[in-house]
Amino acid sequence: MVVVMKPEASQAEIDHVIKRAASMGAQTQPITGESHTVIALVGDLTQVQRATFDAMAGVQKTVRIQDPYKLASRTTNPEGTVIDVNGIRFGGEQVVVMAGPCSVESREQIIQTAVAVKEAGASVLRGGAFKPRTSPYSFQGLGEEGLKYLAEAREVTGLPVISEVMTVETIDLVAEYVDILQIGARNMQNYALLQAVGKTRRPVMLKRGLSGEINELLMCAEYILSNGNMQVMLCERGIRTYETATRNTFDLNAVPVLKRSSHLPVVADPAHGTGDWELVPPMSLAAVAAGADALILEVHPDPESALSDGDQSLKPERFADLMRSLRRVAAAVGRSIATPKESDDSAGMAGNKNRSTEETSKSAVLA
Ligand code: PEP
Ligand code: MN
């Protein structure tokens, strides 16, 4: 159930609703939207009477959430959630482009790529330091060294960074260096990991599993949300089907289905969705036309020598061409492409060394 507060409801009225719901045994999650605050009631609602809330001061209405994913449901926040990462807004009018190599391979490689993708207009830098590889003999990522290079690339460009976290034990480490935690497809249903990132206050991008149904993706998001972290984005990255012409089948249906079902921002990953750099531009344009709030793309200065996913990585100049086309498609569907923040005004926000002590302390990360 959600209790929708009136736009003019006071904090005291909001607090009163939360207290009353808790006294009836419900777990509560307030969500502050642009115009309203809504309070989601989840867990054991057997003692909860809707009429009690309908009669309370400051309450506009109560709405039953029919979906099994209560906090992820669009009913919970019909106007849509906007996640602000150092001034880059996911889920708003602008489409965010995240770009960078599949793996951080060296200091030079990530800095060179970061500068190139920013120059072309990307506003977030991607790069894997802990890599979930099919073979244990393949490059596994540079680990903490890779995170340090990523943080350096952020210092140089001012771009916030996203990187994958694979284990509960490394969440604090990864969160120390990155702005957005990525949960990879292979970990979509790693419930311990989902609960643990749910206890952080860092934005999370949750990727759809290789054989994950859309409803399962939403239930996995619910694990993060129900642990108190409401900054979750959902990522379509292709699924396993009988089709072998492409690495995965990029399920573009998922984009409007997720937008209809959930208030969370939706990211599309045409690189993993297709596995083929030639298919990345058309499917990126299609994803924006379909309503994606963000794209995540793989860009490498020399894809042929990439240590992972070279086949689906764009060269910087091809990425720049794609950005030009993306601006036109975004305009055609009434949106625009987010522009990168300038290093000067963003360094204070994005630079890890400039984060407040409280922000960087491990206890705060796992608040
Ligand atoms: C990646 O983003 O490089 C990655 C490993 O993605 P996925 O988890 O979707 O395979
Ligand atoms: Mn990859």
Side-chain angles (χ1 to χ4, degrees):
M1 187 177 112
V2 279
V3 180
V4 180
M5 302 302 294
K6 290 179 180 159
E8 68 275 14
S10 68
Q11 191 55 47
E13 288 167 341
I14 294 169
D15 292 343
H16 189 52
V17 168
I18 293 172
K19 226 169 136 186
R20 194 67 208 269
S23 75
M24 293 170 165
Q27 290 171 42
T28 56
Q29 180 65 57
I31 299 161
T32 313
E34 306 265 301
S35 55
H36 295 263
T37 292
V38 303
I39 300 153
L41 273 52
V42 290
D44 179 5
L45 303 188
T46 45
Q47 306 301 315
V48 170
Q49 305 284 341
R50 276 177 76 178
T52 310
F53 294 97
D54 283 324
M56 284 172 76
V59 172
Q60 187 165 73
K61 61 179 175 182
T62 56
V63 184
R64 189 187 297 282
I65 313 172
Q66 306 282 6
D67 302 312
Y69 39 88
K70 304 289 175 198
L71 294 171
S73 170
R74 184 159 276 274
T75 315
T76 301
N77 186 14
E79 64 192 26
T81 285
V82 174
I83 299 176
D84 189 312
V85 181
N86 305 334
I88 304 294
R89 287 160 58 83
F90 291 80
E93 180 267 326
Q94 295 197 314
V95 178
V96 178
V97 179
M98 302 185 271
C102 177
S103 301
V104 180
E105 298 171 1
S106 69
R107 185 174 174 277
E108 294 65 38
Q109 175 246 19
I110 190 67
I111 292 177
Q112 186 189 343
T113 313
V115 169
V117 299
K118 183 182 178 188
E119 175 73 26
S123 44
V124 176
L125 175 66
R126 69 148 285 151
F130 292 97
K131 295 304 301 176
R133 304 305 300 282
T134 304
S135 164
Y137 308 117
S138 300
F139 177 60
Q140 302 286 307
L142 295 179
E144 185 169 7
E145 188 189 347
L147 294 174
K148 287 188 175 152
Y149 298 150
L150 263 182
E152 228 181 297
R154 177 177 51 193
E155 293 274 317
V156 171
T157 57
L159 295 180
V161 301
I162 176 167
S163 197
E164 177 161 355
V165 59
M166 285 171 54
T167 61
V168 172
E169 296 71 33
T170 49
I171 292 175
D172 281 351
L173 176 72
V174 178
E176 222 174 282
Y177 293 97
V178 314
D179 301 280
I180 306 170
L181 299 170
Q182 172 173 327
I183 301 291
R186 289 154 193 81
N187 269 321
M188 181 190 85
Q189 286 179 309
N190 180 339
Y191 298 116
L193 185 60
L194 301 179
Q195 285 174 323
V197 295
K199 293 195 170 75
T200 75
R201 292 296 171 265
R202 228 10 95 74
V204 175
M205 183 183 79
L206 174 64
K207 296 187 98 176
R208 181 176 179 185
L210 278 66
S211 303
E213 292 179 5
I214 292 174
N215 282 346
E216 289 170 330
L217 172 62
L218 289 163
M219 291 311 290
C220 291
E222 196 73 14
Y223 268 87
I224 305 173
L225 300 167
S226 62
N227 277 277
N229 187 350
M230 296 305 287
Q231 297 189 288
V232 179
M233 316 172 197
L234 306 167
C235 178
E236 165 56 40
R237 50 77 70 203
I239 49 171
R240 281 276 166 85
T241 67
Y242 55 80
E243 182 56 72
T244 55
T246 49
R247 179 181 180 185
N248 289 299
T249 296
F250 188 43
D251 180 13
L252 260 190
N253 290 351
V255 173
V257 170
L258 287 169
K259 291 299 293 177
R260 180 174 65 187
S261 313
S262 175
H263 56 90
L264 300 172
V266 173
V267 182
D269 176 352
H272 295 87
T274 62
D276 181 338
W277 68 265
E278 275 191 284
L279 304 182
V280 169
M283 297 319 285
S284 299
L285 300 174
V288 170
D293 297 302
L295 293 174
I296 186 160
L297 300 169
E298 291 187 331
V299 177
H300 194 288
D302 179 17
E304 268 146 52
S305 65
L307 298 180
S308 60
D309 288 350
D311 291 348
Q312 63 195 38
S313 299
L314 296 174
K315 291 182 178 166
E317 37 312 349
R318 291 209 168 98
F319 174 67
D321 284 345
L322 171 57
M323 288 299 290
R324 285 186 273 275
S325 307
L326 282 170
R327 289 188 191 101
R328 292 198 292 274
V329 171
V333 293
R335 299 180 88 171
S336 59
I337 302 291
T339 51
K341 295 274 166 261
E342 278 322 306
S343 313
D344 285 343
D345 64 24
S346 61
M349 310 278 286
N352 201 34
K353 71 177 164 60
N354 292 317
R355 279 190 190 154
S356 69
T357 324
E358 196 200 357
E359 250 275 83
T360 43
S361 81
K362 291 184 179 178
S363 55
V365 167
L366 281 173

